[in-house]
Amino acid sequence: MATPLVSSILQLLLGVDLGASDGTAGNRFAIEGLAWAPEKDGTASLRIDRLEAASLQLSSGELTLAIGRVAVRGLVAQIRSEAGAPQLAGVEAREAEFSGLKLHGPLRMPPRLHEAWNTAHAPAAEAPASQASADATSLTPLGTAHGTIRGQITDAHLLFDADVTVPVRGGRIDFNDATVEHLGPDSRMGVSRLGIYVDAPNGRSYVYRFASAPLAGVAFERRGALLSPWISERGKLQLQEFAESMLRRGLGQGHEGLTEQARDLLGRTSLSGDLQLGDGGFALPGLQGRLEGRDEGRNRIGLHSEAVGRGVTVEIDSLLVRDAASAAENAHLSCDTLRAKLKLQLVSEGAEMRFVLDLESGTAAGLRFDRSAPAAG
């Protein structure tokens, strides 16, 4: 089992505050097959056949990671000396098994996501050209997504309580198939050049307004004969193209975003649904990978919220990601295969959004972590 010396070494190498996630149990370690090998260039290799840790809490800035249990096999760490102090340069591990991993902190999205991604992934002079990307935002799994999203609005302005059903078929929302049911004549959803709307008996209300048109992945509503007031086509959204376009442009730019009426309704709207994601690659600022296993029912999303205005929960019982990679500042983490049971909670606390990412159980293979030297100022 670990001594305080082990905890101190880990804190020094990782550069994080290390504590216990369980105040009664404390942080615990078990190490098998430890070997230390100095190299000629001044670095050293630390090899561990098996490292098991339990009841840990790591903090870095505003982020906190609680670890119930993690067992790592075939670990090799590269240690270098900087200003007379040992620093962790990189780690590789053959496989890891974990449970009870919980990462939480404030959720802050840059106004223009592709700029943040390109900055974080600007290739060094010796880096291969494949690392460069003019616009890395990609959400291929949405292109073949399939499922249904349901909402219940209490005391809606649309006329009494309303039940909203939005089918997703082949990665597309066809507003001709969406329904808004309530007492009296039902309402209809659609998308025009001004935004996504609801036509109720008491008039049209916009849920989300666009700052400009046209947008990628949107087929706008169409009317019948010339100057006819009747809508013959409510419009469609191709989820992949639309979401990628919104992310590249930056969310909520100018006059774009949820309307005041929609914000009020979200506080009284419950949400449920399921969405089967397709296979394929995804890339966002600081995160990329490839989903696989659609035919086996993997990567199926469950949505739930008692009140969307206060937050929403996303669950994936069988996540399978290949070639996953994450980058932040001067640190990079990647793995060949990640399998996990995942739950993500987004919570609104006044003007701030917070997230809780809970990996209840899972395994990772081919893990690699490297910390590049800070850029010269």
Side-chain angles (χ1 to χ4, degrees):
M1 302 300 286
T3 65
L5 176 61
V6 176
S7 299
S8 299
I9 292 174
L10 289 176
Q11 281 184 267
L12 180 63
L13 295 178
L14 295 175
V16 298
D17 295 326
L18 183 63
S21 62
D22 183 340
T24 60
N27 39 29
R28 304 190 303 275
F29 300 88
I31 296 176
E32 299 176 4
L34 177 65
W36 176 270
E39 305 290 345
K40 294 181 179 180
D41 60 359
T43 64
S45 295
L46 177 66
R47 297 177 180 271
I48 301 176
D49 291 342
R50 175 183 170 87
L51 168 65
E52 184 169 344
S55 189
L56 296 180
Q57 180 170 292
L58 289 75
S59 298
S60 179
E62 297 179 293
L63 299 178
T64 299
L65 173 65
I67 302 175
R69 175 185 172 274
V70 60
V72 183
R73 298 175 182 83
L75 184 148
V76 180
Q78 298 295 324
I79 313 297
R80 66 178 175 227
S81 178
E82 293 183 4
Q87 295 290 332
L88 183 66
V91 177
E92 294 185 4
R94 185 173 65 254
E95 60 183 2
E97 179 183 351
F98 54 84
S99 61
L101 266 64
K102 186 174 292 188
L103 177 68
H104 60 90
L107 179 66
R108 297 194 176 94
M109 299 295 284
R112 292 195 177 273
L113 298 181
H114 70 275
E115 293 176 5
W117 171 268
N118 292 335
T119 299
H121 288 73
E126 68 276 8
S130 60
Q131 292 184 15
S133 174
D135 194 341
T137 304
S138 174
L139 299 171
T140 303
L142 286 179
T144 54
H146 192 91
T148 304
I149 300 172
R150 302 176 181 85
Q152 291 186 322
I153 307 174
T154 304
D155 190 25
H157 294 308
L158 307 174
L159 290 179
F160 309 104
D161 295 357
D163 293 325
V164 181
T165 303
V166 181
V168 179
R169 301 290 182 265
R172 183 177 70 177
I173 293 177
D174 186 339
F175 285 106
N176 295 294
D177 299 329
T179 61
V180 183
E181 301 175 311
H182 45 68
L183 291 178
D186 290 340
S187 302
R188 299 297 304 273
M189 294 187 70
V191 57
S192 75
R193 293 183 176 273
L194 295 180
I196 300 172
Y197 65 79
V198 175
D199 275 345
N202 59 347
R204 173 170 292 190
S205 299
Y206 279 89
V207 177
Y208 192 97
R209 284 193 175 274
F210 300 146
S212 62
L215 297 171
V218 183
F220 297 110
E221 68 174 8
R222 295 198 307 269
R223 297 185 180 271
L226 184 64
L227 301 180
S228 170
W230 305 108
I231 305 296
S232 62
E233 164 66 47
R234 290 286 171 177
K236 300 176 178 65
L237 290 182
Q238 296 291 150
L239 288 182
Q240 179 185 349
E241 291 85 349
F242 178 70
E244 290 174 353
S245 173
M246 296 288 284
L247 291 175
R248 289 167 184 157
R249 283 162 17 94
L251 298 177
Q253 297 297 305
H255 298 291
E256 184 171 272
L258 291 170
T259 63
E260 287 300 319
Q261 182 178 359
R263 294 179 188 276
D264 179 54
L265 286 178
L266 288 179
R268 294 180 279 113
T269 300
S270 62
L271 180 71
S272 64
D274 63 273
L275 196 65
Q276 174 65 62
L277 297 177
D279 294 339
F282 62 89
L284 292 168
L287 182 66
Q288 62 183 10
R290 188 176 75 256
L291 297 187
E292 290 186 0
R294 175 192 175 96
D295 292 343
E296 293 80 40
R298 297 184 182 274
N299 304 315
R300 189 175 188 88
I301 294 177
L303 299 171
H304 176 74
S305 175
E306 295 296 331
V308 178
R310 295 198 298 269
V312 64
T313 298
V314 178
E315 296 185 84
I316 303 179
D317 288 337
S318 183
L319 175 72
L320 175 56
V321 185
R322 307 281 190 189
D323 302 323
S326 176
E329 297 181 356
N330 297 308
H332 301 81
L333 175 66
S334 64
C335 74
D336 295 337
T337 306
L338 173 65
R339 305 172 188 266
K341 181 177 182 180
L342 176 149
K343 179 166 71 173
L344 173 64
Q345 295 174 285
L346 302 177
V347 182
S348 176
E349 296 180 352
E352 183 177 65
M353 290 290 294
R354 298 188 63 83
F355 76 94
V356 180
L357 177 61
D358 190 350
L359 296 177
E360 299 180 20
S361 60
T363 60
L367 284 158
R368 293 172 295 279
F369 170 85
D370 70 87
R371 176 176 288 161
S372 58

